[in-house]
Amino acid sequence: MARTALSVANLVDRAADRFGDKALAVREEHVTYRHLGYDHTSRVLTFNQALRSCKTVAAALADRLGVKPGDRIALVLTNVPEIGLFFTAAARIGAIIVPFNYMLKATELRGAIADCGAKVLVTEPDLFETNIRDKSNVPGIEHWVMTGDAGDVPPEFMSIDDLTEGFSEAEVEPVSLDRNAPIAIFYTSGTTGFPKGA
């Protein structure tokens, strides 16, 4: 039986198939998320655990938030593991990640987010408090998701635990991506005008 062509949508599957329970990464801190489908007391993340997490978040994005192929998901995050988690989960269902520099303020984010049409925004509590400050500063976002411990997430936001509850055993097959399909949009710095998505 012929293997499906390698794409970003099935990259985690291929890696887990090859490396299984070998270590993919070692975290500096324990993961506090309760619903990613594996025991989070270890600091070591295996390839199989990464695949389980990817499927969990992909299912939650599609079923709980209604994310469809081609939809945009904005990321306003520092250099945290959740970037890879949301990137691979979005690709699995055909959604497009739009990562933004974590130093951008709401006034800078507003135009680019409106331009790309993102309906979901994933950020961190401290970044929101410092740079965005109020949801109304970035209109058009339907679902605000925050990383970190659920107890630190304000009630008007969805924590990753809230997002993924009930999806830890979900099976989501990777979509078949057209080789020319976009998987991410990166915005220019806007030195000669408004930032443009590439």
Side-chain angles (χ1 to χ4, degrees):
M1 179 189 219
R3 290 182 85 177
T4 309
L6 178 64
S7 73
V8 177
N10 64 27
L11 182 64
V12 182
D13 302 70
R14 289 285 189 90
D17 185 51
R18 183 168 181 187
F19 300 111
D21 288 325
K22 291 183 179 177
L24 168 64
V26 178
R27 304 178 188 91
E28 289 183 17
E29 300 175 359
H30 293 288
V31 173
T32 58
Y33 303 130
R34 299 186 310 263
H35 308 300
L36 292 184
Y38 60 88
D39 177 15
H40 60 266
T41 58
S42 173
R43 290 177 49 223
V44 175
L45 177 71
T46 69
F47 286 87
N48 281 335
Q49 290 171 339
L51 175 58
R52 172 47 38 214
S53 297
C54 177
K55 288 179 180 182
T56 299
V57 174
L61 289 172
D63 294 347
R64 181 152 284 146
L65 302 188
V67 175
K68 301 176 298 302
D71 285 353
R72 277 72 164 162
I73 300 171
L75 300 183
V76 181
L77 298 169
T78 56
N79 188 21
V80 292
E82 288 86 351
I83 292 173
L85 178 58
F86 278 93
F87 181 80
T88 56
R92 189 171 198 83
I93 59 174
I96 299 168
I97 285 294
V98 188
F100 289 99
N101 184 319
Y102 70 88
M103 294 173 63
L104 294 178
K105 305 297 184 199
T107 53
E108 299 166 300
L109 290 168
R110 184 182 302 125
I113 287 177
D115 179 64
C116 74
K119 300 294 184 201
V120 177
L121 189 146
V122 183
T123 190
E124 300 169 43
D126 290 344
L127 285 180
F128 181 85
E129 189 65 34
T130 303
N131 294 351
I132 299 173
R133 298 185 178 187
D134 191 286
K135 287 181 174 181
S136 65
N137 289 334
V138 185
I141 298 297
E142 296 174 8
H143 303 286
W144 291 80
V145 179
M146 275 200 181
T147 65
D149 187 80
D152 296 332
V153 173
E156 64 272 19
F157 294 86
M158 182 176 286
S159 70
I160 290 181
D161 279 344
D162 293 334
L163 174 67
T164 57
E165 185 173 11
F167 293 98
S168 62
E169 298 298 323
E171 290 299 327
V172 180
E173 292 301 315
V175 298
S176 178
L177 289 176
D178 180 276
R179 65 184 308 153
N180 296 314
I183 57 159
I185 299 172
F186 298 89
Y187 275 81
T188 62
S189 61
T191 53
T192 59
F194 291 111
K196 297 173 183 63

